[in-house]
């Protein structure tokens, strides 16, 4: 295994341990269950799932390190001939019990492509983190974005505005004409060139990944004990429906995994356990639910 592959693999395994430990510490009931799996074509991963907790209704923090012959769907997607690939990454989605705690998602990944002789012909980094609240608290969104910006700024102060904009563009439920949530950062296809080497982008990935817990845990701690009603829970389940719609209609990673015979349990781990769709549901004018939907119609500069 070459240097970047090895370093990124160690990074995501350490980050998986750190994030799982941090989340477990907030939940007095549930622990992560680990499911190790192997990919028939090469490699495997560790899927860790938490469910039925006091704080987290369902969540997953997954790592995968896979390699082998490039599937036909990948050849078409990357516009290359037959060859081999290596991909490693961490992906997580957390669905809380309390409707006043936001759902969150993050992933950080590294990819390499090789020709038929095994020579590397391309490589890139991708990832990001975003926040999906059910009740909008401006201070929460500001904290999340400021924490991610601080991490970006340690590498390049142009990264946050660029990747914040890319996140707003990507996590857009086009069929609903609204954002999935309040965004965060999103980046993809960051390649080394004559100015910036792989070490630069690896260091950026580490900074972004290490910012996840400081960005999210304070929001969990702030809201996990808030009192809520059945109506609040119903609203959470309605908004979860929008989350499912995005993942199954627009999310590139989900669609790519389904088209390339990916591991279904890991791919669909991102979906919440209980979801509601109400015909022509419209929140009352001026209600907190109405104000959330209004805010999601246009991107907001949180920092």
């Amino acid at each position: 295994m070459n240097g970047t592959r090895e370093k990124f693999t160690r990074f995501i395994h350490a980050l998986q341990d750190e994030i799982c430990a941090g989340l477990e510490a907030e939940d007095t009931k549930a622990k992560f269950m680990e499911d190790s799996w192997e990919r028939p074509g090469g490699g495997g991963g560790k899927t860790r799932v938490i469910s039925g907790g006091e704080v987290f209704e369902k969540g997953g923090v997954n790592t995968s390190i896979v390699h082998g012959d490039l599937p036909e769907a990948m050849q078409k997607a990357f516009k290359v001939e037959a060859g081999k690939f290596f991909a490693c990454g961490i992906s997580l989605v957390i669905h809380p019990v309390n409707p006043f705690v936001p759902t969150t998602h993050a992933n950080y990944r590294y990819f390499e492509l090789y020709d038929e002789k095994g020579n590397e012909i391309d490589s890139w980094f991708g990832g990001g983190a975003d926040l999906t609240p059910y009740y909008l608290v401006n201070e929460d969104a500001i904290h999340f974005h400021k924490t991610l910006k601080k991490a970006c700024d340690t590498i390049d102060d142009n990264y946050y505005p660029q990747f914040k904009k890319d996140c707003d563009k990507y996590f857009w439920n086009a069929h609903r004409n609204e954002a999935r949530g309040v965004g965060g950062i999103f980046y993809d296809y960051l390649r080394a060139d004559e100015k910036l080497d792989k070490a630069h982008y690896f260091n950026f990935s580490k900074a972004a990944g290490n910012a996840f817990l400081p960005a999210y845990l304070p929001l969990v701690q702030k809201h996990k004990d808030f009192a809520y009603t059945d109506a609040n829970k119903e609203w959470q389940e309605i908004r979860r429906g929008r989350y499912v719609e995005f993942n199954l209609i627009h999310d590139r990673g989900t669609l790519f995994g389904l088209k390339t015979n990916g591991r279904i349990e890991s791919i669909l781990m991102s979906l919440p356990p209980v979801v509601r769709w109400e015909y022509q549901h419209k929140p009352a004018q001026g209600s907190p639910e109405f104000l959330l939907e209004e805010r999601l119609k246009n991107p907001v500069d949180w920092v």
Side-chain angles (χ1 to χ4, degrees):
M1 185 178 290
N2 66 33
T4 302
R5 287 169 50 171
E6 186 176 42
K7 287 191 292 186
F8 205 91
T9 297
R10 288 200 302 264
F11 160 64
I12 61 174
H13 281 153
L15 187 61
Q16 183 183 38
D17 290 342
E18 180 183 349
I19 290 175
C20 288
L23 295 173
E24 282 184 350
E26 297 302 322
D27 198 305
T28 59
K29 179 181 177 183
K31 299 292 183 182
F32 279 92
M33 173 200 72
E34 181 173 297
D35 180 19
S36 297
W37 53 274
E38 293 184 2
R39 177 179 175 272
K46 293 190 292 185
T47 295
R48 292 183 182 172
V49 175
I50 191 169
S51 62
E54 293 289 341
V55 177
F56 303 115
E57 191 168 346
K58 180 188 176 187
V61 183
N62 303 339
T63 52
S64 63
I65 299 92
V66 296
H67 54 83
D69 293 327
L70 200 63
E72 185 176 349
M74 284 188 177
Q75 295 178 36
K76 292 179 180 178
F78 301 137
K79 298 178 181 179
V80 297
E81 300 296 331
K84 295 184 181 297
F85 79 100
F86 170 88
C88 62
I90 180 171
S91 180
L92 68 93
V93 177
I94 304 298
H95 294 292
V97 173
N98 194 309
F100 292 98
V101 178
T103 279
T104 190
H105 154 264
N107 74 82
Y108 306 97
R109 56 193 180 276
Y110 174 66
F111 202 101
E112 290 185 352
L113 286 177
Y114 316 97
D115 61 22
E116 291 181 318
K117 296 181 179 180
N119 300 308
E120 182 182 321
I121 57 174
D122 200 359
S123 63
W124 63 85
F125 297 82
D130 65 287
L131 194 70
T132 305
Y134 305 101
Y135 289 91
L136 184 61
V137 179
N138 288 340
E139 292 78 9
D140 292 352
I142 292 168
H143 168 80
F144 191 81
H145 277 265
K146 278 189 172 181
T147 306
L148 297 183
K149 181 181 185 300
K150 182 179 179 181
C152 291
D153 289 351
T154 63
I155 307 299
D156 189 323
D157 57 13
N158 292 310
Y159 280 175
Y160 172 76
Q162 176 186 341
F163 300 145
K164 189 269 184 190
K165 182 179 179 181
D166 291 344
C167 187
D168 289 337
K169 182 178 179 180
Y170 181 76
F171 291 105
W172 184 257
N173 246 340
H175 65 288
R176 295 281 190 179
N177 198 33
E178 67 178 20
R180 186 174 80 171
V182 297
I185 59 171
F186 176 81
Y187 58 94
D188 209 356
Y189 301 112
L190 298 186
R191 292 178 168 91
D193 56 24
E194 63 277 4
K195 295 181 180 180
L196 300 172
D197 59 11
K198 285 186 180 183
H200 172 88
Y201 291 120
F202 173 69
N203 289 334
F204 171 63
S205 297
K206 284 182 64 178
N210 289 332
F212 172 75
L213 282 181
Y216 183 60
L217 277 188
L219 310 185
V220 177
Q221 294 161 351
K222 180 179 177 181
H223 298 295
K224 66 180 182 179
D225 295 322
F226 272 28
Y228 61 87
T229 65
D230 289 343
N232 297 143
K233 195 67 178 173
E234 287 180 7
W235 172 246
Q236 180 194 51
E237 293 167 0
I238 289 171
R239 291 305 308 177
R240 281 176 172 178
R242 305 292 175 90
Y243 200 94
V244 171
E245 289 173 19
F246 177 86
N247 278 28
L248 296 183
I249 297 173
H250 302 297
D251 186 75
R252 293 201 300 254
T254 300
L255 297 176
F256 189 77
L258 295 175
K259 290 178 180 178
T260 55
N261 296 318
R263 187 171 185 267
I264 298 301
E265 288 300 316
S266 296
I267 295 168
L268 299 184
M269 174 277 302
S270 64
L271 301 184
V274 180
V275 185
R276 181 185 298 265
W277 281 273
E278 298 285 352
Y279 182 69
Q280 290 190 341
H281 180 274
K282 294 181 180 180
Q285 187 90 11
S287 66
E289 294 82 1
F290 176 85
L291 295 176
L292 173 72
E293 287 200 342
E294 287 296 299
R295 185 59 67 91
L296 296 180
K297 291 180 179 178
N298 294 289
V300 175
D301 290 329
W302 294 104
V303 176

